[in-house]
Structure formats: structure tokens, C-alpha cells
């Protein structure tokens, strides 16, 4: 797993228009705290891309009390959606935006779960990891809205 230092200003600027409109009064740091927070019932424990020319990856997800390994070829959205459904998180991805920035690939996803909607965002070296992290952030945010 790669840890990137994030320029929150450029990340906030890379967000899709609808998300920026939803959060006009947030500072870049507040935007990052709200939409990129990975704390919650789901965590990414390990990440292994298979190679730069393939769309294969292995992700270990940490759920409350157990681990689940997702091995996928192709769409990380489809693989994560299936894995989350198997764990009881019936998430749908309503919007997906991905942009290359100077710091890496920024991904923004609008998720819906049990009638609630929320955005998740992430930045990583590759698009698949960024997608997985953004989906986890979005689902965790929706889970936090239940309490």
C-alpha cells in the first residue's frame, strides 16, 4: 500500500461539480475530513495490485470481527459492490468520477445505501485502489449517519 501526501487544495478542486456545490463552505481540510475519512465499520487491511498492465487486484477488507479477501479482475466497483453486498451492505454507486492529479488518481463516488446518499473520496497511486478506498469512505460515511 502506498501512502501519499495530499495537497488538499488540489484534491478539493478535482471534485466533481455536484460535490463541490454540496460543500461550498468547507475548507479543503474540512472537505478531506468529511469525504475521505476511512474510519468506520469497514477498513482496507491490505492492497495488492497484480501489475500495471492488468486490472487485477487483491484487497483484504476488515469488517467487524472478521476479514474478507477480494480477488478481482476487471472493475473494482463491481468487485467491491459484490463483496459489500455479501456482508450486508447493499450499496449502489450513483455517480463515479475519477481524475488524475499531480498526487495520484482521485476518485469520487456517490453511494446509496438504504435510501441514504453520500459521497466518498480517495486518492491513491492507481485508479483501482483509489476506487476501493473511495467506496469504503462512502459506505463508512453512510454508516455514521445511522447513529
Amino acid at each position: 500500500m502506498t501512502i501519499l501526501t495530499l495537497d488538499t487544495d488540489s484534491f478539493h478542486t478535482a471534485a466533481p461539480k455536484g460535490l463541490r456545490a454540496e460543500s461550498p463552505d468547507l475548507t479543503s481540510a474540512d472537505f478531506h475530513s468529511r469525504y475521505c475519512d476511512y474510519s468506520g465499520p469497514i477498513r482496507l487491511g491490505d492492497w495488492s495490485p497484480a501489475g500495471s498492465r492488468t486490472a487485477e487486484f487483491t484487497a483484504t477488507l476488515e469488517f467487524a470481527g472478521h476479514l474478507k479477501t477480494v480477488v478481482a479482475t476487471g472493475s473494482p466497483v463491481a468487485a467491491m459492490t459484490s463483496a459489500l453486498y455479501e456482508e450486508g451492505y447493499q450499496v449502489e454507486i450513483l455517480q463515479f468520477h475519477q481524475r488524475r492529479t499531480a498526487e495520484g488518481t482521485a476518485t469520487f463516488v456517490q453511494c446509496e445505501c438504504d435510501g441514504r446518499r453520500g459521497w466518498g473520496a480517495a486518492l491513491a497511486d492507481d485508479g483501482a485502489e483509489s476506487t476501493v478506498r473511495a467506496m469504503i469512505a462512502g459506505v463508512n460515511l453512510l454508516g455514521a449517519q445511522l447513529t
Side-chain angles (χ1 to χ4, degrees):
M1 173 172 66
T2 303
I3 305 289
L4 297 173
T5 303
L6 179 66
D7 174 358
T8 56
D9 290 326
S10 66
F11 191 62
H12 188 204
T13 302
K17 185 177 178 180
L19 179 53
R20 286 193 317 270
E22 179 180 303
S23 56
D25 298 329
L26 294 180
T27 66
S28 293
D30 289 341
F31 178 91
H32 186 264
S33 292
R34 178 175 294 173
Y35 297 108
C36 304
D37 188 3
Y38 307 118
S39 63
I42 308 166
R43 295 179 50 116
L44 181 61
D46 192 24
W47 173 262
S48 301
S52 60
R53 293 183 178 224
T54 66
E56 296 177 3
F57 66 89
T58 301
T60 302
L61 304 177
E62 297 177 19
F63 293 94
H66 70 283
L67 299 175
K68 180 177 194 76
T69 300
V70 178
V71 179
T73 301
S75 169
V77 172
M80 282 296 295
T81 301
S82 293
L84 291 167
Y85 261 80
E86 289 172 9
E87 294 296 325
Y89 296 93
Q90 297 180 351
V91 63
E92 291 184 44
I93 303 302
L94 303 176
Q95 293 187 52
F96 178 91
H97 301 270
Q98 198 166 63
R99 295 194 172 99
R100 191 79 185 133
T101 70
E103 293 83 22
T105 300
T107 302
F108 307 89
V109 294
Q110 184 183 43
C111 304
E112 182 174 326
C113 193
D114 295 328
R116 292 175 323 281
R117 292 182 180 186
W119 286 91
L123 180 78
D125 275 340
D126 71 53
E129 181 179 358
S130 181
T131 298
V132 168
R133 289 183 178 282
M135 288 180 70
I136 290 171
V139 172
N140 282 339
L141 176 67
L142 291 174
Q145 291 176 354
L146 290 174
T147 57

